[in-house]
Amino acid sequence: MKIMRFLTVAIFSSSVVLVAQEGIEYKSYVALGATLAHGHSHDLTQKTWGGFGSFNAEVGLQFKHSSAGVMIRPNFGMAKMTGDKPTEAQPEIYDMMGIYVGVDLVYTPSKRLPIFATTGPTFHTWNVDMVDSLDNPSQGHKGMKLGWRLGLGYEINNKFKVEILYALSEWRSDPDLSYVQGLNPSNPAYFSIRASYNF
């Protein structure tokens, strides 16, 4: 956890320094794709495990220095997660809507091969809703959670990109709930397969 905090501060600091320099080029982008849940949501809802996922939408900016091989990508987005199918033992279904902000480092190893890798911190907050229920009490942990994400993408042209991202919405090294002892992360993680468009 301390390493994640250190890396988060380092990335944000380097982003500010890069953006403040002369010769910076920037573009805005919008991304949309599907999510696939990984891990479980038990720590949030205290009632249901897993989730199939639904969608991920994101907007942001891409800053690049004319002489640098690394791009900075601050972002804001949302990811929806849908709970497991109902069973006799567990008839309730919960939907989770996650809002997040973050910043990625985007690295393209070779100009000849338009493949890029991304990594960076995210700050998620989840809202949990019981499906088909008028009474919707607060469930599980609330508040902003520090997480991380990794990605791999392909640049089709100057406008379009496709990528797959893996996002941890929280990493806790010492879970405080007995039924998730030893499990990290204990809040939802998800894959996002998406396409983006540069303006």
Side-chain angles (χ1 to χ4, degrees), residues 97-101 123-127 142-145 169:
M97 179 67 79
I99 305 297
Y100 64 86
V101 294
F123 295 86
H124 277 76
T125 181
W126 291 97
N127 182 59
K142 297 292 183 179
M144 191 71 74
K145 308 295 185 181
S169 68

Side-chain angles (χ1 to χ4, degrees), residues 93-116:
I93 302 177
Y94 290 83
D95 280 347
M96 293 168 287
M97 179 67 79
I99 305 297
Y100 64 86
V101 294
V103 59
D104 291 332
L105 291 178
V106 183
Y107 175 62
T108 304
S110 173
K111 293 182 179 180
R112 296 180 179 179
L113 187 62
I115 293 176
F116 59 92

Side-chain angles (χ1 to χ4, degrees), residues 147-199:
W148 203 268
R149 70 178 185 178
L150 299 168
L152 189 64
Y154 180 81
E155 186 174 355
I156 300 173
N157 53 43
N158 291 333
K159 293 290 186 179
F160 291 96
K161 297 182 179 70
V162 291
E163 60 186 311
I164 181 169
L165 292 167
Y166 179 70
L168 299 171
S169 68
E170 180 187 17
W171 183 274
R172 295 194 303 156
S173 58
D174 186 22
D176 58 0
L177 300 177
S178 61
Y179 48 75
V180 292
Q181 285 293 331
L183 294 178
N184 290 305
S186 57
N187 276 346
Y190 58 91
F191 290 94
S192 177
I193 302 173
R194 67 187 201 177
S196 63
Y197 177 79
N198 296 334
F199 292 97

Side-chain angles (χ1 to χ4, degrees), residues 1-197:
M1 189 65 179
K2 291 182 178 179
I3 295 176
M4 274 187 59
R5 290 173 180 170
F6 174 78
L7 290 174
T8 299
V9 172
I11 289 179
F12 271 100
S13 300
S14 61
S15 300
V16 172
V17 171
L18 177 62
V19 172
Q21 293 180 358
E22 295 182 357
I24 294 296
E25 302 173 357
Y26 74 91
K27 296 179 181 179
S28 58
Y29 74 91
V30 60
L32 185 65
T35 59
L36 176 64
H38 176 243
H40 58 78
S41 59
H42 200 231
D43 186 36
L44 278 173
T45 66
Q46 300 180 9
K47 292 179 181 298
T48 185
W49 297 91
F52 298 107
S54 181
F55 72 89
N56 169 226
E58 181 177 303
V59 294
L61 296 173
Q62 299 177 136
F63 293 93
K64 183 178 182 180
H65 193 276
S66 56
S67 62
V70 177
M71 186 166 56
I72 302 294
R73 186 171 69 180
N75 53 75
F76 168 80
M78 64 179 66
K80 184 177 180 182
M81 315 291 282
T82 302
D84 285 339
K85 292 181 179 180
T87 63
E88 292 184 4
Q90 180 59 61
E92 300 93 351
I93 302 177
Y94 290 83
D95 280 347
M96 293 168 287
M97 179 67 79
I99 305 297
Y100 64 86
V101 294
V103 59
D104 291 332
L105 291 178
V106 183
Y107 175 62
T108 304
S110 173
K111 293 182 179 180
R112 296 180 179 179
L113 187 62
I115 293 176
F116 59 92
T118 68
T119 187
T122 61
F123 295 86
H124 277 76
T125 181
W126 291 97
N127 182 59
V128 182
D129 292 323
M130 183 187 294
V131 177
D132 298 328
S133 174
L134 297 177
D135 184 16
N136 182 26
S138 177
Q139 299 289 334
H141 288 264
K142 297 292 183 179
M144 191 71 74
K145 308 295 185 181
L146 172 60
W148 203 268
R149 70 178 185 178
L150 299 168
L152 189 64
Y154 180 81
E155 186 174 355
I156 300 173
N157 53 43
N158 291 333
K159 293 290 186 179
F160 291 96
K161 297 182 179 70
V162 291
E163 60 186 311
I164 181 169
L165 292 167
Y166 179 70
L168 299 171
S169 68
E170 180 187 17
W171 183 274
R172 295 194 303 156
S173 58
D174 186 22
D176 58 0
L177 300 177
S178 61
Y179 48 75
V180 292
Q181 285 293 331
L183 294 178
N184 290 305
S186 57
N187 276 346
Y190 58 91
F191 290 94
S192 177
I193 302 173
R194 67 187 201 177
S196 63
Y197 177 79

